[in-house]
Amino acid sequence: MFSIIINSTIIYWATALDLLILLAILYVRFDKKSHLSITLGQIIGSTALVVVSLFFAVILKLVPEEWILGLLGLIPLGLGIKYLFWGDDDDDEELDELLQKRKNKSLLGTVIIISFASCGADNIALFTPFFMTLSPSNLILSIFIFILNILILGLLGKTISKIPHLHEILEKYSRWILAFVYIVLGIMVLIESGTLSKIISLF
């Protein structure tokens, strides 16, 4: 149980670093009256990512050959290599563009979009194979840990916004953390599903 708590926390926070930086920027740019909308938007958008990942995990579990499912491990592995050698996109520029496009629309809706879309595909690609490796009881525990960390993320984003230049430091090193966690998870899924041994046996 302890390992599930640790693994779920590490995986969530590895994928949440980009969003944490964006949240800190949003808390700085908007006044305190808007902070509740930012917090709620982040919670809704982040929870939606977990729900979508869980949906895909349940559907893909119906595939009879587990080693075939293990091929999903290639997705986080590939993303980890991408972050390692080519880095991440410029989130600040994308945030500016989105805020400009939606300047006359609901901030709550905007933050939901930011939380879901800023690294949505990456999160789903990471969460789905991880959820698939868990037993039903461990999956329930993992989802609880994810939700708990989603709530903590909003509070931490507000705290970081009060510390000058801290989000810039996080942005500088997030690439390496992302790369490490994605690569490790990809390899873990390939091994635990038997996909790696199946591929090796073909040669």
Side-chain angles (χ1 to χ4, degrees), residues 21 75 98 117 135 146 148:
I21 294 165
I75 299 174
L98 183 58
S135 66
F146 270 65
L148 181 61

Side-chain angles (χ1 to χ4, degrees), residues 71-85:
L71 292 173
L72 288 173
L74 294 174
I75 299 174
L77 183 60
L79 289 170
I81 293 171
K82 169 183 172 287
Y83 285 122
L84 186 62
F85 291 102

Side-chain angles (χ1 to χ4, degrees), residues 9-167:
T9 300
I10 291 173
I11 287 171
Y12 177 76
W13 280 100
T15 61
L17 283 177
D18 284 354
L19 181 55
L20 178 63
I21 294 165
L22 293 177
L23 283 175
I25 294 171
L26 287 170
Y27 282 123
V28 169
R29 292 189 183 182
F30 291 90
D31 57 34
K32 289 185 178 180
K33 292 180 180 179
S34 303
H35 286 186
L36 180 60
S37 294
I38 295 172
T39 302
L40 290 176
Q42 175 265 320
I43 291 172
I44 295 170
S46 297
T47 302
L49 280 174
V50 174
V51 171
V52 171
S53 301
L54 180 61
F55 171 78
F56 282 121
V58 171
I59 295 299
L60 291 171
K61 267 287 190 181
L62 300 176
V63 177
E65 292 289 346
E66 188 176 355
W67 74 269
I68 295 176
L69 293 177
L71 292 173
L72 288 173
L74 294 174
I75 299 174
L77 183 60
L79 289 170
I81 293 171
K82 169 183 172 287
Y83 285 122
L84 186 62
F85 291 102
W86 292 282
D88 201 359
D89 300 326
D90 193 330
D91 290 330
D92 283 6
E93 288 185 8
E94 292 182 3
L95 178 63
D96 288 337
E97 290 178 8
L98 183 58
L99 290 176
Q100 184 61 33
K101 288 179 182 178
R102 295 182 57 86
K103 62 181 179 180
N104 296 320
K105 297 183 180 179
S106 163
L107 179 60
L108 174 64
T110 300
V111 178
I112 291 173
I113 292 171
I114 290 170
S115 300
F116 190 89
S118 62
C119 50
D122 290 2
N123 285 33
I124 293 169
L126 191 65
F127 296 167
T128 299
F130 174 66
F131 288 157
M132 289 170 56
T133 65
L134 303 178
S135 66
S137 58
N138 285 339
L139 179 59
I140 292 171
L141 175 60
S142 179
I143 291 171
F144 174 77
I145 297 302
F146 270 65
I147 298 301
L148 181 61
N149 281 303
I150 285 171
L151 298 176
I152 294 172
L153 178 66
L155 296 174
L156 192 58
K158 185 178 290 189
T159 301
I160 289 174
S161 69
K162 298 174 183 177
I163 305 173
H165 308 299
L166 181 57
H167 70 272

